């Protein structure tokens, strides 16, 4: 299915498997609504998958099942060869293995930027506070907000807050990062600064699932585009193939609506 596997940092031993996130026969209902229908999706280590599709097609729910913010009715999900844990410590660890960045930035309003990026490391990863702060500062520098460390989220622009949210997720050394429309709530002039951070992450070999309507990002960073409609994966292919030659009518219709303005 996926032909691409980007090699991570040199030096590590070969991973046991190249398949990092595997969904098999996943179904999910909200009452009578069948929001995820027989989803099969395998994401390889280092792969960047962009998920697109009309509003209400199940993209967010798909992301949320991967870190078990939503349970599924049937089917299996595994991360790095292990089924998703049900609860407790194991679940907390899973949540930190799967970094998530939402449309709304979800930073802790009453903590400074530095505290936002330090907290999870200390609480979940049990990292020593000083070490955690050092790492937080390195990551904040990497996403270009190192000079904002002592401010509170409300004092930052939306683009800066979203970059802090990315740094916070990265601080947990996640195996995979999920982005659910990370630039949709941003003013237009701030979209690129966030996309650039994501581009760099992709180049560094991070495994990423990105729900976005930013087609430029999909074209340049994605290994694969997954197109969803009505709770199903209707089509998946390499970006060039998908954008130049969509196969399904649903995808053609969707692309004609978003690409012509
Ligand atoms: N917690 C919920 N309870 C009931 N319905 C929901 C809930 N979350 C999402 N839905 C519905 O499930 C469908 C898929 O939603 P969602 O995954 O958010 O789609 P997308 O992200 O593609 O816009 C939509 O019809 C939405 O209204
Ligand atoms: Mg959504």
């Amino acid at each position: 299915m996926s032909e691409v596997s980007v090699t991570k940092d040199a030096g590590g031993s070969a991973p046991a498997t190249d398949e990092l996130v595997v969904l098999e026969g996943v179904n999910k209902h909200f009452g009578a609504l069948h929001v995820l229908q027989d989803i099969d999706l395998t994401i390889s280590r280092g792969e960047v998958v962009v998920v697109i599709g009309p509003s209400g097609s199940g993209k967010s729910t798909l992301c949320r099942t991967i870190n078990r913010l939503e349970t599924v009715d049937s089917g299996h999900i595994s991360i790095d060869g292990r089924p998703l844990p049900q609860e407790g410590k194991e679940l907390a660890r899973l949540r930190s293995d799967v970094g998530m960045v939402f449309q709304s930035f979800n930073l802790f309003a009453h903590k400074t930027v530095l505290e936002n990026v330090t907290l999870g490391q200390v609480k979940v990863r049990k990292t020593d506070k000083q070490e955690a702060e050092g790492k937080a500062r390195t990551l904040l520098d990497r996403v270009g907000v190192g000079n904002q460390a002592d401010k509170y989220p409300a004092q930052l622009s939306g683009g800066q807050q979203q970059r802090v949210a990315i740094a916070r997720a990265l601080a947990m050394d996640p195996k995979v990062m999920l982005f659910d429309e990370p630039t949709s709530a941003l003013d237009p002039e701030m979209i690129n600064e966030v996309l650039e951070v994501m581009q760099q992450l992709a180049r560094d070999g991070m495994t990423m699932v990105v729900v976005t309507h930013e087609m430029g990002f999909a074209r340049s960073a994605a290994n694969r585009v997954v197109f969803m409609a009505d709770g199903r994966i209707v089509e998946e292919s390499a970006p060039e193939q998908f954008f130049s030659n969509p196969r399904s009518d649903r995808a053609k219709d969707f692309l004609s609506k978003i690409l012509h303005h």
Side-chain angles (χ1 to χ4, degrees), residues 223-255:
N223 301 117
R224 184 158 42 125
V225 171
V226 167
F227 175 72
M228 288 186 74
D230 299 330
R232 291 183 185 278
I233 294 179
V234 175
E235 190 163 336
E236 52 181 312
S237 48
E240 277 317 307
Q241 157 84 25
F242 179 77
F243 291 114
S244 60
N245 193 16
R247 292 185 298 265
S248 63
D249 288 342
R250 289 303 300 265
K252 285 177 195 165
D253 181 52
F254 178 75
L255 285 174

Side-chain angles (χ1 to χ4, degrees), residues 159-175:
Q160 289 173 325
Q161 288 186 55
Q162 197 59 307
R163 287 182 281 148
V164 173
I166 294 172
R168 183 176 63 173
L170 290 175
M172 306 302 279
D173 296 320
K175 292 177 175 171

Side-chain angles (χ1 to χ4, degrees), residues 77-152:
I77 303 178
S78 65
I79 308 258
D80 213 1
R82 299 168 64 183
L84 291 195
Q86 303 295 306
E87 56 194 9
K89 268 197 196 132
E90 286 292 305
L91 183 56
R93 195 166 310 133
L94 166 90
R95 293 256 166 79
S96 50
D97 279 347
V98 181
M100 182 121 189
V101 177
F102 302 90
Q103 180 175 336
S104 52
F105 321 119
N106 292 102
L107 296 172
F108 301 116
H110 303 293
K111 306 268 182 207
T112 64
V113 163
L114 184 69
E115 287 165 345
N116 264 279
V117 184
T118 306
L119 208 64
Q121 297 182 67
V122 174
K123 289 231 158 128
V124 180
R125 294 294 197 215
K126 309 293 178 206
T127 308
D128 162 80
K129 182 154 182 263
Q130 220 172 349
E131 190 186 327
E133 284 188 0
K135 183 171 181 179
R137 288 190 190 279
T138 304
L139 285 166
L140 289 169
D141 279 339
R142 211 212 282 181
V143 301
V145 289
N147 53 354
Q148 311 291 324
D150 298 323
K151 292 191 180 166
Y152 287 86

